[in-house]
Amino acid sequence: QQPVQSPQAVILREGEDAVINCSSSKALYSVHWYRQKHGEAPVFLMILLKGGEQKGHEKISASFNEKKQQSSLYLTASQLSYSGTYFCGTEDMRFGAGTRLTVKP
Amino acid sequence: DVKVTQSSRYLVKRTGEKVFLECVQDMDHENMFWYRQDPGLGLRLIYFSYDVKMKEKGDIPEGYSVSREKKERFSLILESASTNQTSMYLCATKLFTGTGGYNEQFFGPGTRLTVL
């Protein structure tokens, strides 16, 4: 079953923050995050395995809640290069519908 | 670097034609997948394969079949193409390390198929 992502789209100015959410009706073993730039293949960002886990880089990070049914991707001080469509995926290789992020100068 | 290649970036076919989409990987990954990507629907799993000659249906297998005769190659077949199969098709691979699927997927560049 596909996880549910929100929002469907978000438009930011450079330097603004964004949060993308991913939820499942059942507990997951893991959640994966990918980014797809226009015209390119999706590229892996990170995977979260444990309830309560938070990981990532300084400006792109993610969390996985204790019940392992929700994950959020945090983009801080966004840059133009962050533009693209973000997908969350589950251990059985299902993906959400995606969140299109546009960062404007 | 993992390399996943797909036979065509763009393909135009006629309704009723038999269409073959090829995917080749060079990383000796056991698992291979076919997705279609449509606006607002994200990536939907068509078929996947855990090993040579093995295949499993995904969420939308109707109208498609697959073939995996060699480990590195996974083919998607549209037996009789229809206009509602116009889409972007993405192949992906993943290393298998036991149950749980904790490895990342590597995607090919995609084939944009138009069925007229």
Side-chain angles (χ1 to χ4, degrees):
Chain A
Q1 191 173 8
Q2 283 185 286
V4 177
Q5 276 186 247
S6 63
Q8 287 186 331
V10 59
I11 300 174
L12 301 173
R13 293 284 181 193
E14 266 188 300
E16 292 181 336
D17 302 339
V19 180
I20 299 170
N21 298 303
C22 177
S23 64
S24 172
S25 58
K26 61 175 185 176
L28 302 170
Y29 285 107
S30 65
V31 65
H32 309 217
W33 285 97
Y34 289 76
R35 177 172 63 202
Q36 183 182 31
K37 296 199 174 184
H38 183 69
E40 298 181 10
V43 174
F44 175 78
L45 293 176
M46 66 186 81
I47 179 173
L48 296 100
L49 298 170
K50 300 176 184 177
E53 183 177 4
Q54 294 196 351
K55 74 187 299 184
H57 310 290
E58 191 177 294
K59 293 188 175 180
I60 300 179
S61 61
S63 65
F64 201 11
N65 76 342
E66 288 290 343
K67 288 186 176 181
K68 301 182 75 175
Q69 287 182 272
Q70 283 196 299
S71 178
S72 295
L73 186 71
Y74 305 94
L75 299 114
T76 306
S78 59
Q79 305 168 10
L80 295 176
S81 62
Y82 288 2
S83 292
T85 301
Y86 291 78
F87 295 98
C88 66
T90 63
E91 68 274 4
D92 61 355
M93 301 302 122
R94 266 67 175 180
F95 288 88
T99 297
R100 176 174 282 189
L101 180 75
T102 304
V103 181
K104 295 188 173 182
Chain B
D1 279 353
V2 174
K3 195 168 184 182
V4 182
T5 58
Q6 294 184 227
S7 48
S8 306
R9 288 302 302 268
Y10 300 94
L11 206 54
V12 180
K13 295 292 181 181
R14 298 257 177 219
T15 303
E17 280 192 80
K18 190 169 186 176
V19 181
F20 293 86
L21 302 183
E22 305 284 339
C23 176
V24 178
Q25 50 109 351
D26 67 355
M27 284 301 292
D28 204 35
H29 285 178
E30 293 82 4
N31 298 354
M32 296 187 76
F33 307 82
W34 275 106
Y35 296 89
R36 65 176 283 176
Q37 183 175 18
D38 301 288
L41 298 177
L43 299 166
R44 291 183 292 166
L45 183 62
I46 305 171
Y47 266 99
F48 57 101
S49 169
Y50 286 129
D51 206 343
V52 176
K53 296 192 186 294
M54 293 183 68
K55 59 185 179 183
E56 297 285 342
K57 292 180 180 180
D59 297 328
I60 52 166
E62 296 78 18
Y64 304 94
S65 62
V66 290
S67 172
R68 195 165 179 203
E69 296 296 318
K70 294 184 177 181
K71 191 174 185 179
E72 67 270 19
R73 188 181 296 269
F74 191 35
S75 302
L76 180 70
I77 304 158
L78 287 67
E79 296 290 342
S80 178
S82 63
T83 54
N84 62 12
Q85 292 178 309
T86 292
S87 186
M88 171 68 84
Y89 290 88
L90 289 166
C91 173
T93 74
K94 186 170 75 72
L95 183 67
F96 177 73
T97 52
T99 58
Y102 297 156
N103 293 306
E104 67 180 280
Q105 283 183 297
F106 294 89
F107 284 86
T111 295
R112 183 164 293 281
L113 173 68
T114 301
V115 183
L116 302 175

